[in-house]
Every structure is written in structure tokens, then in C-alpha cells.
Amino acid sequence: MKKAAVASKAADGVGAGPGALPVPLYEHVKRQIAEAILIGDMPPGTVLPGEVALANQYGVAVGTIRRALADLTAGGMLMRRRKTGTVVTGRASQHGLSFFFQYFRLLGADGSLLHSEAEVLSVTTRDAERPEAALFAVADGEPLLHLHRIRRVAGAPVLHSRISMVASRVAGFPREPKKVPALIYRHLLEAYGIRIAAVREKVTAEVATKEDRKLLGLSAPAAVLVIDEEAYDQTGALAILSQHRATTAQHYYSNEIR
């Protein structure tokens, strides 16, 4: 397991950025361990060091480690074995941290998980408008990287998204649609050290626009589910601003609170 450390922060909450809630220290530890599991640094069967050793490794109190491990155990990613210790199971909630890498909340009508394929339609750069600049805490007119992407399930379009990031934070991000990584959250973590720590969504319904009908194969009149999403990094700063527009004719949106 890689050496890790959590920066010294107040134990009662960290990362209070624009619009973001403080994140407890144990959550930072929990996310680092979960991410190590999800990207394969700690494969199933890995036995974690003892609580004191982990506390020294992450630079936190034993109580903080104990709380993080308890949450990961409750979520199914870890299990306690007598005489062995804490072991990685390889299991996770459908809506747990793994969805921060494969983030797709539409399920089949029978509740089944769906395999979707993403296609980036365009990658452009444009100046931030005042409301966007305020959310990102940057100057008006700051260049934003803007992606337009569509997702398909079994070849049928189900959702298209417009995704914005501050261009200067992701210097070198692919500008050719075919070269954009399929898992953007994971790419941000691996390439830029930007860890998505919290996601805030506003869900509404609207009449499908002409673009919606064209991209999603809908006939007029039709309705779409609209998900306005703000994704915050480990410091509490807004990292991604997105809008997803989906058809729920054969699917439904699922959210789980644990």
C-alpha cells in the first residue's frame, strides 16, 4: 500500500469552499483508502495494517482511522476477520465512491445496473459568464473547458451532458473528442490530483428541446430529466459544473443516502 498522509486540518471540518460543506477529517482518510481500493492499489484480499500503523501513515489520530474503517466496513469495501484483521473485500455500494469514477445514476426499469458508453461530441474553450465565474471563484471571462458528451445504453442514447471545468486547472486536457478519457473523475485524480469529494445535484423535469429530441431520439412532445450538478474537490473548490439531460422512458434515476 502506498504511503499516504492527510494534510493537517481542523478535525471538526475541512475544505469549506464556495457553496461546499466542511468535510470531516475521517472522510478524507476514508476517501483516500477507498480510492486506493478502487484504482487497484489495494486489491481484494489485501490485509490493512493495524489502526496505530494507519494512524501514523495518514498522520491522524487512531479515533479518526477507526471511524473511517468503520464506514468502509459498513459500506462493504472492508471486512473484519478474526485473527487476520481488516481485509479488502472488493465490494462496494452501487452508489458509493466507485460511482465517483463511473458516475451514472440511470438504472433499468427492473433496478438493474446499466453498462453505458460515452461519446464526446465536442471539446471547446469559452469565457466564463458571471454566474459561472462566481461558482468557480474565478474572474469573469476566465477560460473554461467545455465538453459535450452523450451516453448510450445498448446503442440507444439515454443522456447528454455539458461539462465545464476551469481550463487552467486541467492544462493539457485532451482537446480531441476521441482522446478524452471515458472516466473523467478518475482522470482528474490521476493526472491533476483533483479528487472529487462531494457532488451536489438539483433535479428537475423540462419539456425536451429540439436538441434533446435530436440527440436522444425523442418525438415531440416529450419530457426530459434535467440534473444540474456541482462536483467539489478535496479542498471544497468547485471542480466541475455540469448539466445532464436524460430520457427516463426505459430507465429511472436512482440516488442512495448511506
Side-chain angles (χ1 to χ4, degrees):
M1 185 168 61
K2 293 181 179 179
K3 176 97 175 149
V6 177
S8 176
K9 300 174 186 289
D12 61 342
V14 295
L21 297 175
V23 180
L25 190 55
Y26 76 87
E27 282 285 348
H28 286 267
V29 176
K30 182 174 76 173
R31 288 164 184 166
Q32 288 195 32
I33 295 173
E35 286 159 5
I37 294 171
L38 292 167
I39 65 178
D41 287 344
M42 295 166 59
T46 299
V47 179
L48 271 63
E51 291 178 349
V52 173
L54 284 172
N56 291 332
Q57 178 178 335
Y58 286 93
V60 297
V62 171
T64 300
I65 288 292
R66 189 170 295 138
R67 175 66 186 274
L69 296 182
D71 280 10
L72 291 169
T73 301
M77 299 188 80
L78 300 175
M79 67 180 296
R80 305 284 184 137
R81 288 181 181 169
R82 184 177 297 179
K83 297 183 180 180
T84 300
T86 304
V87 182
V88 176
T89 65
R91 300 191 301 274
S93 167
Q94 291 180 1
H95 307 287
L97 286 170
S98 63
F99 259 60
F100 277 24
F101 294 127
Q102 297 180 324
Y103 195 68
F104 184 63
R105 291 280 181 85
L106 292 182
L107 303 185
D110 61 355
S112 60
L113 285 172
L114 300 172
H115 174 70
S116 67
E117 295 182 351
E119 177 190 355
V120 176
L121 303 177
S122 65
V123 182
T124 57
T125 302
R126 61 176 177 78
D127 294 342
E129 298 178 358
R130 181 167 296 179
E132 295 171 318
L135 286 171
F136 279 114
V138 297
D140 292 356
E142 176 81 15
L144 299 182
L145 184 69
H146 186 71
L147 312 180
H148 189 195
R149 186 172 69 174
I150 190 166
R151 282 194 176 274
R152 297 182 177 88
V153 173
V158 297
L159 174 146
H160 72 103
S161 307
R162 296 189 182 279
I163 303 166
S164 298
M165 298 173 279
V166 176
S168 61
R169 292 198 69 190
V170 291
F173 193 95
R175 293 313 201 254
E176 296 180 32
K178 291 184 178 180
K179 293 185 178 181
V180 173
L183 303 180
I184 293 177
Y185 283 12
R186 179 167 181 167
H187 179 71
L188 293 182
L189 174 63
E190 294 178 342
Y192 304 101
I194 298 173
R195 181 184 300 110
I196 300 302
V199 176
R200 176 176 295 164
E201 297 176 330
K202 180 177 73 174
V203 181
T204 56
E206 293 183 6
V207 175
T209 64
K210 183 177 180 180
E211 180 184 53
D212 294 331
R213 297 196 302 271
K214 178 181 178 181
L215 291 174
L216 302 179
L218 304 175
S219 300
V224 291
L225 187 72
V226 180
I227 306 164
D228 290 296
E229 178 185 301
E230 300 170 5
Y232 294 89
D233 68 13
Q234 67 269 36
T235 72
L238 181 65
I240 304 176
L241 186 63
S242 307
Q243 184 180 86
H244 312 286
R245 303 178 69 88
T247 171
T248 57
Q250 303 296 327
H251 313 87
Y252 68 89
Y253 178 85
S254 176
N255 201 351
E256 178 177 319
I257 299 174
R258 296 180 61 85

